[in-house]
Amino acid sequence: MPSVKRDNPDDDDSSVEADQHAMYSSNLVEACEAASATTGGGGPGGRPGKRHRTEEEKREERLAANRRSARESRNRKKMVLEELQRSVARLAEENAALRRENAAAKREMTELKRKLGVGDDAVA
């Protein structure tokens, strides 16, 4: 608490307290008025233009939020489906490449067996 300068040392403490109280009270009122002026003074919390919504407004907001949520869900589902389609295409290509590699290995094994004179029943 800031000290109040006393002109007369004979002043008692109660007059000093009264002066301080008056000083703080006026500052508090001014501060509240200034805060109210800067926030627009629009009610609780200082929200200008904020009012209670009717049931119909709440319903419309809820429906709009549900539509947004449904749209986002459809978009997510579409993205997942597209990713799965890309995976199917990639795996189909990989499968085809492995089948070609397997067929080439079988041809090579058959050729080596032929060169060694080994029949199909001897090598399993």
Side-chain angles (χ1 to χ4, degrees):
M1 196 181 252
S3 63
V4 175
K5 183 178 178 185
R6 296 187 202 182
D7 292 334
N8 185 354
D10 294 332
D11 282 345
D12 62 352
D13 288 338
S14 62
S15 66
V16 170
E17 288 176 11
D19 290 342
Q20 288 176 344
H21 179 70
M23 178 180 69
Y24 287 127
S25 295
S26 66
N27 288 343
L28 182 60
V29 170
E30 290 170 8
C32 288
E33 288 172 353
S36 178
T38 59
T39 60
R47 296 183 200 149
K50 191 72 174 174
R51 60 178 176 78
H52 293 288
R53 297 175 294 156
T54 66
E55 292 300 317
E56 183 62 25
E57 289 172 327
K58 290 179 185 178
R59 180 179 178 276
E60 290 298 323
E61 288 177 14
R62 190 175 61 251
L63 290 174
N66 285 346
R67 283 191 292 272
R68 275 191 308 275
S69 178
R71 183 173 50 249
E72 291 169 1
S73 180
R74 285 190 304 272
N75 287 339
R76 280 192 304 272
K77 184 177 179 180
K78 182 179 177 183
M79 298 293 284
V80 168
L81 181 62
E82 289 172 354
E83 180 59 33
L84 287 172
Q85 289 171 335
R86 284 190 294 271
S87 293
V88 166
R90 181 183 51 80
L91 290 171
E93 288 176 16
E94 183 179 340
N95 190 19
L98 290 171
R99 287 180 184 273
R100 287 190 300 271
E101 186 179 330
N102 189 26
K106 283 183 179 181
R107 283 191 305 275
E108 183 180 354
M109 184 175 71
T110 303
E111 180 62 28
L112 290 172
K113 283 181 185 180
R114 187 186 60 73
K115 286 182 181 179
L116 291 174
V118 178
D120 284 333
D121 56 337
V123 177

